[in-house]
Amino acid sequence: MEMTGLQIFKYMPAAKKLEHTNCKECGCPTCMVYSLKLAKQQIKLDRCPYVCDELRQIYCQSLKHPQNTVQIGDLKIGGENVLYRHEKTFINPTILAVMVDCSKPDYEDKIKGICEFKYTHVGENFGVDLVILKNSDNKAELSLRAYRRSNPAIINSEQLQSLELNIIEEQDFQTTKDYLIETRRRAILEKDENSSAPVCVVMKNDDIYSQCAKAGFYLCKYANMLVFEEFDADLFSTLITLRHNIFTDPQKTLQVDSGLYKYNNPDENSIIFMTTNFALTYFAVANELENLAVPSYLIIVPADGMSVLTAWSAQTFTPEIVSKFLEELDIKNKIKTRKIIIPGLVSDMIEELNAQCPDFEFVEGTKDASDIGEFVKKLSV
Ligand code: SF4
């Protein structure tokens, strides 16, 4: 774990009230400033001639990376610094790979299935990350390149072996799980160089339910790559969803781009909805609007990725922000409709919105996205 400025300061002359306290020889006005800069790696350790040996040792140890990063084409694995996501974040998502044995007669069908697989989750498109060709010849590689649409990276089994990975065959669940946890703990807590290589688990070809349960666990703790002998779209969709949850940064909200979204070919008289740019809110509303056989617009207001009520309380979804954004989008000149339907949860804003944006009339919508269909039916009556 990297040291904080305060942790460093405890070892400095100023903290110990020693000679040279705040002597400025390092170019900093005080030992505290030097400590803070050192923690951010903005100054070199040797700029202070009075650093004690104990700090030198602890600091150098703290700078070591617990886990190596390995690059495979555009993919990266490893480089993890923490044991638990909430401590900071996990960095490089576990690679989900399929091994294709090109000596088997059905290998082309398998390649086709892999390349045609596409899975969309929270607005992002995913596919198989990596295909590892076993017993490959040029023909197999050409066929893979011809088929591929979801863009998996390709390597052969010899290239896999040459990567600086710790490749293990899956044993029974308990043994594999214990090995993964122990290896990651040694890498992170002890910075053990023998445990610093990212771990790749070659999965046993069990029934799909066992594979899903075991791979799900290994993905959480702590496989950097999972290699499957067979490709199964349902298994990959499930693991991709889990991976997406584990590897998103808990300090950043999931958000979508603000702007004007269109559903079912709206024209200048179509209805207009409005909400914030929190991804889950957006997808809930967008899904309803898409499925209505009614042309509509959805204005997504930039609100730091917060949900409607949170944004309202945090003042990131205010009449001033809405007014500025409507001007930015030039809604007044682009669309003739003057009514804008806002989420029912913030109906208290309506009066202020109407005062702030006199060109429009704001209307209370539903509190729940699933009620939008019924709401629109009543509007049309
Ligand atoms: Fe403190 Fe060392 Fe800088 Fe002097 S040179 S101010 S002792 S950090």
Side-chain angles (χ1 to χ4, degrees), residues 12-13 20-26 28 30-31 34 47-50:
M12 300 307 297
H20 307 297
T21 289
N22 300 334
C23 68
K24 303 185 178 55
E25 278 184 52
C26 58
C28 300
T30 61
C31 294
Y34 169 86
R47 287 283 293 278
C48 169
Y50 311 111

Side-chain angles (χ1 to χ4, degrees), residues 110-130:
K110 195 166 163 184
I111 285 176
K112 191 167 179 273
I114 292 168
C115 293
E116 285 181 352
F117 171 67
K118 192 177 141 205
Y119 177 62
T120 304
H121 178 63
V122 201
E124 276 187 66
N125 294 324
F126 298 93
V128 173
D129 301 311
L130 178 68

Side-chain angles (χ1 to χ4, degrees), residues 67-87:
Q67 200 184 40
N68 300 336
T69 303
V70 173
Q71 183 109 23
I72 308 169
D74 292 337
L75 303 168
K76 268 189 196 172
I77 45 172
E80 302 299 342
N81 296 306
V82 291
L83 279 181
Y84 305 106
R85 188 181 85 121
H86 60 261
E87 291 178 71

Side-chain angles (χ1 to χ4, degrees), residues 155 198 244 257 343 373:
I155 56 172
H244 195 257
D257 291 338

Side-chain angles (χ1 to χ4, degrees), residues 49-67:
Y50 311 111
V51 162
C52 63
D53 288 344
E54 195 183 357
L55 173 60
R56 195 177 301 281
Q57 203 181 345
I58 299 172
Y59 179 73
C60 292
Q61 179 72 10
S62 78
L63 287 187
K64 278 199 205 161
H65 288 291
Q67 200 184 40

